[in-house]
Amino acid sequence: MGIARAWVSMSLDGFITGPKDDHENPMGINGELLHDWMFSSDRDAVEQDSTNQMFTATGAIVMGRRMFDLGISPWGNQNPFAFPVFVATHRPREPFESPDKPPMTFVESFAAAVAAARKAAGEADILIVGGASAIQQGLAEGVIDELHLAIVPILLGSGRSLFSPGELCGMKFELTQTLPTPAATHLILHPQR
Amino acid sequence: MGIARAWVSMSLDGFITGPKDDHENPMGINGELLHDWMFSSDRDAVEQDSTNQMFTATGAIVMGRRMFDLGISPWGNQNPFAFPVFVATHRPREPFESPDKPPMTFVESFAAAVAAARKAAGEADILIVGGASAIQQGLAEGVIDELHLAIVPILLGSGRSLFSPGELCGMKFELTQTLPTPAATHLILHPQR
């Protein structure tokens, strides 16, 4: 069995979307700035290699329902990943299928999404891509082995907090690698149990 | 005139103290972990050089009243810095003097503390060491030229937030240097005006 990894971009003030995220503006006000490093023409080569390696090691994806609901239209009504996606939701629905893409399947809980993703991934790793509540739950339940956090040097002022106040009080991480780039600081963190 | 620099350690979830900071426990629950990197026996040499250079360039310190009130007892009832300190406060008091240490002087506002520190520093830089409200005010008013942020890989759950929600919405920083160490990630940030 591979590891479970979470991967997310966060502002200096701890937000993974800007304020007022909705269907019109899925990342919230200024939230798209969190991903500028990913689409930059002078993207850091070391970081890009590292991210490519992460995807090479991945076999399946977990995400929360809100992320699916807000993301699917900007993703062009297709699974944006080259892997089967398992969406944790309390509102069941049929699998989302799109041409030439792996399916996105809806399962009844975060734990069930993790279990289904592990099964689909086989020996490969699973990747939890958000939103905040999926990552918080993964950390709180000890599911996440590794957190790739891209800290972007902006303040969003409000939005969705990656770390909900109180929930994960006192958790320590081993910081095993830092990939410094001007556009974002990439931290590879392992929760200490 | 030198620059105005802020210097502070923050948890991954954005706190510069842990919960329940008071005279008994000035850094709050687990808050002392924010400064472990500074007192570590295997402190990173590059980071230490950089911090030493920062202090060499400094001529005076600005801090908020709460930081003084909570800090002075753990600091051994002495100015913990080798520089004159200007404490921004709405509650006037006599200067705090201690043997062989520069005085700590109380002035009526953050702006007045910055002005007095600049005068005392001459051509040298001034250093704003906290608390959160002094740094927030310095950023909001465009006073701070450079922010040295040590991000410590822990979650404190609650405490004093470095960046108050909403206040500094949309601010971008130029990240000019990253000093990665296992104990903390040191970012040198310049607010973009």
Side-chain angles (χ1 to χ4, degrees):
Chain A
M1 190 172 85
I3 69 165
R5 189 180 280 116
W7 181 57
V8 68
S9 294
M10 180 182 87
S11 64
L12 282 176
D13 52 349
F15 297 106
I16 66 169
T17 71
K20 302 186 180 171
D21 58 327
D22 58 22
H23 286 274
E24 299 288 301
N25 191 8
M27 288 299 292
I29 297 166
N30 292 319
E32 74 286 354
L33 299 175
L34 291 172
H35 296 145
D36 272 359
W37 62 268
M38 214 181 285
F39 303 112
S40 160
S41 59
D42 60 346
R43 187 167 168 189
D44 183 83
V46 174
E47 173 276 309
Q48 189 152 11
D49 277 354
S50 167
T51 303
N52 290 346
Q53 280 172 35
M54 180 185 78
F55 277 112
T56 301
T58 296
I61 304 273
V62 171
M63 74 172 64
R65 178 65 188 263
R66 184 183 175 81
M67 185 169 174
F68 171 83
D69 284 347
L70 292 186
I72 195 64
S73 165
W75 294 329
N77 284 300
Q78 293 191 76
N79 179 355
F81 297 101
F83 309 99
V85 173
F86 297 90
V87 183
T89 182
H90 301 299
R91 293 174 285 130
R93 58 156 280 173
E94 290 300 295
F96 183 92
E97 311 265 3
S98 45
D100 308 320
K101 297 283 183 177
M104 305 177 85
T105 306
F106 295 76
V107 290
E108 72 275 16
S109 67
F110 176 73
V114 168
R118 285 201 195 278
K119 192 171 173 195
E123 294 302 305
D125 299 337
I126 68 168
L127 190 63
I128 301 166
V129 293
S133 60
I135 295 175
Q136 285 164 24
Q137 206 167 341
L139 289 171
E141 293 173 6
V143 167
I144 292 173
D145 301 298
E146 191 172 283
L147 171 61
H148 283 221
L149 189 59
I151 300 179
V152 179
I154 56 172
L155 299 176
L156 291 173
S158 63
R160 307 259 158 202
S161 279
L162 177 55
F163 303 111
S164 184
E167 288 296 303
L168 302 164
C169 184
M171 181 173 275
K172 298 178 197 179
F173 295 85
E174 188 187 359
L175 173 57
T176 56
Q177 200 182 359
T178 306
L179 297 171
T181 82
T185 307
H186 301 264
L187 305 182
I188 299 185
L189 297 153
H190 297 260
Q192 291 184 334
R193 306 249 157 83
Chain B
M1 191 171 85
I3 69 165
R5 190 180 280 115
W7 180 57
V8 69
S9 293
M10 181 181 87
S11 63
L12 281 176
D13 51 350
F15 298 106
I16 66 169
T17 71
K20 302 186 181 171
D21 58 328
D22 58 21
H23 286 275
E24 299 288 301
N25 191 8
M27 288 300 291
I29 296 166
N30 291 321
E32 73 287 353
L33 299 175
L34 291 172
H35 296 144
D36 272 359
W37 62 268
M38 214 180 288
F39 303 111
S40 159
S41 59
D42 59 349
R43 187 169 168 187
D44 183 83
V46 174
E47 172 277 309
Q48 188 151 14
D49 277 353
S50 166
T51 303
N52 289 346
Q53 280 171 35
M54 181 185 78
F55 277 113
T56 302
T58 296
I61 304 271
V62 170
M63 74 173 62
R65 178 65 188 263
R66 184 182 175 83
M67 185 170 175
F68 171 84
D69 284 348
L70 292 186
I72 194 65
S73 163
W75 293 330
N77 282 302
Q78 294 190 75
N79 179 354
F81 297 102
F83 308 99
V85 173
F86 297 89
V87 183
T89 182
H90 300 299
R91 294 175 284 130
R93 60 156 279 173
E94 290 300 295
F96 184 92
E97 312 265 4
S98 46
D100 308 321
K101 296 282 183 179
M104 305 178 84
T105 306
F106 295 77
V107 290
E108 72 275 16
S109 67
F110 176 72
V114 168
R118 285 202 194 278
K119 191 171 172 194
E123 294 302 305
D125 299 338
I126 69 168
L127 190 64
I128 301 166
V129 293
S133 59
I135 294 175
Q136 285 165 22
Q137 207 167 341
L139 289 171
E141 294 174 5
V143 167
I144 292 174
D145 302 297
E146 191 173 283
L147 170 62
H148 283 222
L149 188 60
I151 300 180
V152 179
I154 56 172
L155 299 177
L156 291 173
S158 63
R160 307 260 157 201
S161 280
L162 178 55
F163 303 111
S164 184
E167 288 294 303
L168 302 165
C169 184
M171 181 173 276
K172 298 180 196 178
F173 296 85
E174 188 188 0
L175 173 56
T176 55
Q177 200 182 358
T178 305
L179 296 171
T181 82
T185 307
H186 301 264
L187 305 183
I188 299 185
L189 298 152
H190 297 260
Q192 291 185 335
R193 306 252 156 80

mmCIF file of all heavy atoms in Angstrom, chain A residues 57-90:
data_model
loop_
_atom_site.group_PDB
_atom_site.id
_atom_site.type_symbol
_atom_site.label_atom_id
_atom_site.label_comp_id
_atom_site.label_asym_id
_atom_site.label_seq_id
_atom_site.Cartn_x
_atom_site.Cartn_y
_atom_site.Cartn_z
ATOM 1 N N ALA A 57 3.819 9.007 -8.656
ATOM 2 C CA ALA A 57 3.608 8.050 -7.561
ATOM 3 C C ALA A 57 2.137 7.865 -7.213
ATOM 4 O O ALA A 57 1.786 6.992 -6.426
ATOM 5 C CB ALA A 57 4.375 8.529 -6.326
ATOM 6 N N THR A 58 1.271 8.707 -7.787
ATOM 7 C CA THR A 58 -0.149 8.723 -7.404
ATOM 8 C C THR A 58 -0.955 7.734 -8.239
ATOM 9 O O THR A 58 -0.698 7.557 -9.434
ATOM 10 C CB THR A 58 -0.716 10.158 -7.592
ATOM 11 O OG1 THR A 58 -0.031 11.028 -6.694
ATOM 12 C CG2 THR A 58 -2.214 10.216 -7.323
ATOM 13 N N GLY A 59 -1.958 7.108 -7.597
ATOM 14 C CA GLY A 59 -2.851 6.200 -8.309
ATOM 15 C C GLY A 59 -4.320 6.582 -8.257
ATOM 16 O O GLY A 59 -5.116 6.107 -9.065
ATOM 17 N N ALA A 60 -4.685 7.423 -7.286
ATOM 18 C CA ALA A 60 -6.087 7.833 -7.168
ATOM 19 C C ALA A 60 -6.158 9.098 -6.316
ATOM 20 O O ALA A 60 -5.233 9.409 -5.557
ATOM 21 C CB ALA A 60 -6.940 6.730 -6.527
ATOM 22 N N ILE A 61 -7.285 9.801 -6.475
ATOM 23 C CA ILE A 61 -7.469 11.126 -5.864
ATOM 24 C C ILE A 61 -8.683 11.090 -4.949
ATOM 25 O O ILE A 61 -9.692 10.456 -5.274
ATOM 26 C CB ILE A 61 -7.731 12.177 -6.977
ATOM 27 C CG1 ILE A 61 -6.596 12.198 -8.031
ATOM 28 C CG2 ILE A 61 -8.023 13.551 -6.394
ATOM 29 C CD1 ILE A 61 -5.439 13.078 -7.728
ATOM 30 N N VAL A 62 -8.584 11.840 -3.831
ATOM 31 C CA VAL A 62 -9.736 12.067 -2.949
ATOM 32 C C VAL A 62 -10.028 13.563 -2.926
ATOM 33 O O VAL A 62 -9.089 14.368 -2.814
ATOM 34 C CB VAL A 62 -9.451 11.573 -1.505
ATOM 35 C CG1 VAL A 62 -10.560 12.002 -0.533
ATOM 36 C CG2 VAL A 62 -9.277 10.055 -1.478
ATOM 37 N N MET A 63 -11.299 13.925 -3.055
ATOM 38 C CA MET A 63 -11.654 15.332 -2.839
ATOM 39 C C MET A 63 -13.001 15.431 -2.135
ATOM 40 O O MET A 63 -13.766 14.465 -2.065
ATOM 41 C CB MET A 63 -11.659 16.145 -4.148
ATOM 42 C CG MET A 63 -12.817 15.903 -5.082
ATOM 43 S SD MET A 63 -12.857 17.076 -6.511
ATOM 44 C CE MET A 63 -11.358 16.676 -7.379
ATOM 45 N N GLY A 64 -13.273 16.617 -1.586
ATOM 46 C CA GLY A 64 -14.561 16.871 -0.944
ATOM 47 C C GLY A 64 -15.600 17.298 -1.971
ATOM 48 O O GLY A 64 -15.270 17.729 -3.082
ATOM 49 N N ARG A 65 -16.883 17.210 -1.566
ATOM 50 C CA ARG A 65 -17.966 17.491 -2.496
ATOM 51 C C ARG A 65 -18.009 18.953 -2.925
ATOM 52 O O ARG A 65 -18.292 19.276 -4.078
ATOM 53 C CB ARG A 65 -19.306 17.094 -1.848
ATOM 54 C CG ARG A 65 -20.536 17.375 -2.699
ATOM 55 C CD ARG A 65 -20.522 16.509 -3.961
ATOM 56 N NE ARG A 65 -21.570 16.870 -4.893
ATOM 57 C CZ ARG A 65 -22.750 16.253 -5.000
ATOM 58 N NH1 ARG A 65 -23.041 15.245 -4.203
ATOM 59 N NH2 ARG A 65 -23.640 16.630 -5.890
ATOM 60 N N ARG A 66 -17.736 19.860 -1.978
ATOM 61 C CA ARG A 66 -17.769 21.285 -2.314
ATOM 62 C C ARG A 66 -16.756 21.612 -3.408
ATOM 63 O O ARG A 66 -17.025 22.384 -4.313
ATOM 64 C CB ARG A 66 -17.466 22.100 -1.053
ATOM 65 C CG ARG A 66 -17.572 23.571 -1.284
ATOM 66 C CD ARG A 66 -17.200 24.393 -0.048
ATOM 67 N NE ARG A 66 -17.230 25.785 -0.451
ATOM 68 C CZ ARG A 66 -18.339 26.493 -0.543
ATOM 69 N NH1 ARG A 66 -19.489 25.967 -0.212
ATOM 70 N NH2 ARG A 66 -18.292 27.743 -0.973
ATOM 71 N N MET A 67 -15.575 21.011 -3.309
ATOM 72 C CA MET A 67 -14.537 21.248 -4.318
ATOM 73 C C MET A 67 -15.018 20.759 -5.684
ATOM 74 O O MET A 67 -14.816 21.430 -6.694
ATOM 75 C CB MET A 67 -13.253 20.534 -3.907
ATOM 76 C CG MET A 67 -12.088 20.821 -4.829
ATOM 77 S SD MET A 67 -10.534 20.206 -4.092
ATOM 78 C CE MET A 67 -9.418 20.516 -5.482
ATOM 79 N N PHE A 68 -15.645 19.586 -5.708
ATOM 80 C CA PHE A 68 -16.207 19.091 -6.977
ATOM 81 C C PHE A 68 -17.254 20.066 -7.505
ATOM 82 O O PHE A 68 -17.216 20.475 -8.672
ATOM 83 C CB PHE A 68 -16.824 17.697 -6.786
ATOM 84 C CG PHE A 68 -17.589 17.234 -7.993
ATOM 85 C CD1 PHE A 68 -16.922 16.639 -9.061
ATOM 86 C CD2 PHE A 68 -18.960 17.426 -8.086
ATOM 87 C CE1 PHE A 68 -17.628 16.247 -10.196
ATOM 88 C CE2 PHE A 68 -19.669 17.032 -9.211
ATOM 89 C CZ PHE A 68 -18.995 16.442 -10.272
ATOM 90 N N ASP A 69 -18.202 20.444 -6.639
ATOM 91 C CA ASP A 69 -19.321 21.277 -7.092
ATOM 92 C C ASP A 69 -18.838 22.603 -7.679
ATOM 93 O O ASP A 69 -19.343 23.056 -8.698
ATOM 94 C CB ASP A 69 -20.279 21.559 -5.920
ATOM 95 C CG ASP A 69 -21.159 20.357 -5.582
ATOM 96 O OD1 ASP A 69 -21.211 19.405 -6.386
ATOM 97 O OD2 ASP A 69 -21.792 20.377 -4.508
ATOM 98 N N LEU A 70 -17.866 23.223 -6.996
ATOM 99 C CA LEU A 70 -17.387 24.522 -7.485
ATOM 100 C C LEU A 70 -16.396 24.351 -8.636
ATOM 101 O O LEU A 70 -16.281 25.219 -9.494
ATOM 102 C CB LEU A 70 -16.722 25.322 -6.355
ATOM 103 C CG LEU A 70 -17.643 25.805 -5.239
ATOM 104 C CD1 LEU A 70 -16.878 26.704 -4.273
ATOM 105 C CD2 LEU A 70 -18.838 26.569 -5.813
ATOM 106 N N GLY A 71 -15.682 23.235 -8.646
ATOM 107 C CA GLY A 71 -14.586 23.087 -9.613
ATOM 108 C C GLY A 71 -15.001 22.575 -10.972
ATOM 109 O O GLY A 71 -14.367 22.911 -11.973
ATOM 110 N N ILE A 72 -16.060 21.802 -11.034
ATOM 111 C CA ILE A 72 -16.282 21.019 -12.248
ATOM 112 C C ILE A 72 -16.525 21.905 -13.481
ATOM 113 O O ILE A 72 -16.033 21.585 -14.577
ATOM 114 C CB ILE A 72 -17.393 19.952 -12.040
ATOM 115 C CG1 ILE A 72 -17.362 18.921 -13.160
ATOM 116 C CG2 ILE A 72 -18.765 20.575 -11.850
ATOM 117 C CD1 ILE A 72 -16.091 18.099 -13.208
ATOM 118 N N SER A 73 -17.189 23.017 -13.304
ATOM 119 C CA SER A 73 -17.417 23.897 -14.450
ATOM 120 C C SER A 73 -16.108 24.536 -14.942
ATOM 121 O O SER A 73 -15.773 24.428 -16.124
ATOM 122 C CB SER A 73 -18.487 24.933 -14.101
ATOM 123 O OG SER A 73 -18.475 25.975 -15.028
ATOM 124 N N PRO A 74 -15.316 25.177 -14.043
ATOM 125 C CA PRO A 74 -14.016 25.690 -14.512
ATOM 126 C C PRO A 74 -13.084 24.600 -15.051
ATOM 127 O O PRO A 74 -12.223 24.898 -15.885
ATOM 128 C CB PRO A 74 -13.413 26.382 -13.280
ATOM 129 C CG PRO A 74 -14.355 26.184 -12.157
ATOM 130 C CD PRO A 74 -15.625 25.628 -12.670
ATOM 131 N N TRP A 75 -13.246 23.357 -14.612
ATOM 132 C CA TRP A 75 -12.405 22.281 -15.151
ATOM 133 C C TRP A 75 -12.883 21.828 -16.533
ATOM 134 O O TRP A 75 -12.382 20.823 -17.066
ATOM 135 C CB TRP A 75 -12.404 21.071 -14.192
ATOM 136 C CG TRP A 75 -11.755 21.334 -12.861
ATOM 137 C CD1 TRP A 75 -10.728 22.196 -12.615
ATOM 138 C CD2 TRP A 75 -12.079 20.734 -11.587
ATOM 139 N NE1 TRP A 75 -10.396 22.180 -11.272
ATOM 140 C CE2 TRP A 75 -11.216 21.288 -10.619
ATOM 141 C CE3 TRP A 75 -13.027 19.794 -11.172
ATOM 142 C CZ2 TRP A 75 -11.251 20.939 -9.266
ATOM 143 C CZ3 TRP A 75 -13.071 19.438 -9.826
ATOM 144 C CH2 TRP A 75 -12.196 20.007 -8.886
ATOM 145 N N GLY A 76 -13.861 22.531 -17.075
ATOM 146 C CA GLY A 76 -14.344 22.178 -18.410
ATOM 147 C C GLY A 76 -15.224 20.932 -18.386
ATOM 148 O O GLY A 76 -15.283 20.184 -19.368
ATOM 149 N N ASN A 77 -15.930 20.734 -17.272
ATOM 150 C CA ASN A 77 -16.805 19.559 -17.130
ATOM 151 C C ASN A 77 -16.100 18.244 -17.420
ATOM 152 O O ASN A 77 -16.642 17.345 -18.064
ATOM 153 C CB ASN A 77 -18.078 19.716 -17.966
ATOM 154 C CG ASN A 77 -19.038 20.679 -17.287
ATOM 155 O OD1 ASN A 77 -19.462 20.422 -16.165
ATOM 156 N ND2 ASN A 77 -19.326 21.788 -17.932
ATOM 157 N N GLN A 78 -14.843 18.191 -16.945
ATOM 158 C CA GLN A 78 -14.085 16.943 -17.049
ATOM 159 C C GLN A 78 -13.313 16.713 -15.751
ATOM 160 O O GLN A 78 -12.951 17.676 -15.071
ATOM 161 C CB GLN A 78 -13.044 17.046 -18.157
ATOM 162 C CG GLN A 78 -13.611 17.151 -19.542
ATOM 163 C CD GLN A 78 -12.502 16.982 -20.554
ATOM 164 O OE1 GLN A 78 -12.026 15.886 -20.814
ATOM 165 N NE2 GLN A 78 -12.067 18.094 -21.101
ATOM 166 N N ASN A 79 -13.048 15.451 -15.460
ATOM 167 C CA ASN A 79 -12.098 15.144 -14.396
ATOM 168 C C ASN A 79 -10.768 15.834 -14.736
ATOM 169 O O ASN A 79 -10.179 15.565 -15.778
ATOM 170 C CB ASN A 79 -11.911 13.623 -14.315
ATOM 171 C CG ASN A 79 -10.913 13.210 -13.242
ATOM 172 O OD1 ASN A 79 -10.280 14.048 -12.605
ATOM 173 N ND2 ASN A 79 -10.783 11.899 -13.052
ATOM 174 N N PRO A 80 -10.290 16.749 -13.880
ATOM 175 C CA PRO A 80 -9.054 17.468 -14.199
ATOM 176 C C PRO A 80 -7.796 16.624 -13.951
ATOM 177 O O PRO A 80 -6.696 17.051 -14.295
ATOM 178 C CB PRO A 80 -9.094 18.661 -13.248
ATOM 179 C CG PRO A 80 -9.843 18.170 -12.056
ATOM 180 C CD PRO A 80 -10.864 17.184 -12.582
ATOM 181 N N PHE A 81 -7.966 15.438 -13.384
ATOM 182 C CA PHE A 81 -6.823 14.592 -13.045
ATOM 183 C C PHE A 81 -6.788 13.358 -13.942
ATOM 184 O O PHE A 81 -7.816 12.912 -14.445
ATOM 185 C CB PHE A 81 -6.894 14.157 -11.574
ATOM 186 C CG PHE A 81 -6.815 15.309 -10.607
ATOM 187 C CD1 PHE A 81 -7.962 15.804 -9.998
ATOM 188 C CD2 PHE A 81 -5.596 15.918 -10.325
ATOM 189 C CE1 PHE A 81 -7.905 16.879 -9.120
ATOM 190 C CE2 PHE A 81 -5.531 16.987 -9.438
ATOM 191 C CZ PHE A 81 -6.678 17.467 -8.842
ATOM 192 N N ALA A 82 -5.615 12.796 -14.092
ATOM 193 C CA ALA A 82 -5.439 11.598 -14.916
ATOM 194 C C ALA A 82 -5.685 10.322 -14.104
ATOM 195 O O ALA A 82 -5.242 9.240 -14.484
ATOM 196 C CB ALA A 82 -4.023 11.596 -15.496
ATOM 197 N N PHE A 83 -6.378 10.457 -12.983
ATOM 198 C CA PHE A 83 -6.599 9.344 -12.062
ATOM 199 C C PHE A 83 -8.068 9.279 -11.688
ATOM 200 O O PHE A 83 -8.756 10.300 -11.728
ATOM 201 C CB PHE A 83 -5.797 9.549 -10.769
ATOM 202 C CG PHE A 83 -4.352 9.850 -11.009
ATOM 203 C CD1 PHE A 83 -3.882 11.158 -10.972
ATOM 204 C CD2 PHE A 83 -3.456 8.835 -11.315
ATOM 205 C CE1 PHE A 83 -2.544 11.439 -11.211
ATOM 206 C CE2 PHE A 83 -2.120 9.119 -11.559
ATOM 207 C CZ PHE A 83 -1.671 10.421 -11.506
ATOM 208 N N PRO A 84 -8.544 8.116 -11.276
ATOM 209 C CA PRO A 84 -9.899 8.061 -10.731
ATOM 210 C C PRO A 84 -9.990 8.936 -9.479
ATOM 211 O O PRO A 84 -9.048 8.986 -8.675
ATOM 212 C CB PRO A 84 -10.095 6.575 -10.390
ATOM 213 C CG PRO A 84 -8.756 5.953 -10.416
ATOM 214 C CD PRO A 84 -7.886 6.794 -11.301
ATOM 215 N N VAL A 85 -11.105 9.648 -9.365
ATOM 216 C CA VAL A 85 -11.329 10.554 -8.245
ATOM 217 C C VAL A 85 -12.495 10.024 -7.408
ATOM 218 O O VAL A 85 -13.510 9.600 -7.964
ATOM 219 C CB VAL A 85 -11.656 11.978 -8.756
ATOM 220 C CG1 VAL A 85 -12.054 12.896 -7.596
ATOM 221 C CG2 VAL A 85 -10.461 12.563 -9.515
ATOM 222 N N PHE A 86 -12.315 10.054 -6.092
ATOM 223 C CA PHE A 86 -13.379 9.644 -5.167
ATOM 224 C C PHE A 86 -13.787 10.861 -4.354
ATOM 225 O O PHE A 86 -12.951 11.462 -3.668
ATOM 226 C CB PHE A 86 -12.911 8.475 -4.300
ATOM 227 C CG PHE A 86 -12.610 7.267 -5.159
ATOM 228 C CD1 PHE A 86 -11.334 7.065 -5.693
ATOM 229 C CD2 PHE A 86 -13.624 6.380 -5.499
ATOM 230 C CE1 PHE A 86 -11.063 5.987 -6.533
ATOM 231 C CE2 PHE A 86 -13.365 5.298 -6.339
ATOM 232 C CZ PHE A 86 -12.084 5.103 -6.857
ATOM 233 N N VAL A 87 -15.056 11.231 -4.506
ATOM 234 C CA VAL A 87 -15.571 12.452 -3.886
ATOM 235 C C VAL A 87 -16.367 12.065 -2.647
ATOM 236 O O VAL A 87 -17.344 11.317 -2.736
ATOM 237 C CB VAL A 87 -16.478 13.228 -4.875
ATOM 238 C CG1 VAL A 87 -16.954 14.533 -4.240
ATOM 239 C CG2 VAL A 87 -15.750 13.488 -6.195
ATOM 240 N N ALA A 88 -15.926 12.588 -1.483
ATOM 241 C CA ALA A 88 -16.636 12.322 -0.222
ATOM 242 C C ALA A 88 -17.857 13.227 -0.157
ATOM 243 O O ALA A 88 -17.741 14.445 -0.327
ATOM 244 C CB ALA A 88 -15.715 12.608 0.960
ATOM 245 N N THR A 89 -19.026 12.635 0.059
ATOM 246 C CA THR A 89 -20.245 13.448 0.055
ATOM 247 C C THR A 89 -21.341 12.798 0.887
ATOM 248 O O THR A 89 -21.434 11.570 0.970
ATOM 249 C CB THR A 89 -20.770 13.655 -1.382
ATOM 250 O OG1 THR A 89 -21.936 14.483 -1.324
ATOM 251 C CG2 THR A 89 -21.115 12.336 -2.073
ATOM 252 N N HIS A 90 -22.181 13.640 1.496
ATOM 253 C CA HIS A 90 -23.386 13.142 2.146
ATOM 254 C C HIS A 90 -24.561 13.124 1.167
ATOM 255 O O HIS A 90 -25.634 12.685 1.511
ATOM 256 C CB HIS A 90 -23.729 14.011 3.364
ATOM 257 C CG HIS A 90 -22.622 14.032 4.377
ATOM 258 N ND1 HIS A 90 -22.184 12.893 5.013
ATOM 259 C CD2 HIS A 90 -21.840 15.039 4.832
ATOM 260 C CE1 HIS A 90 -21.193 13.205 5.836
ATOM 261 N NE2 HIS A 90 -20.962 14.492 5.734
#
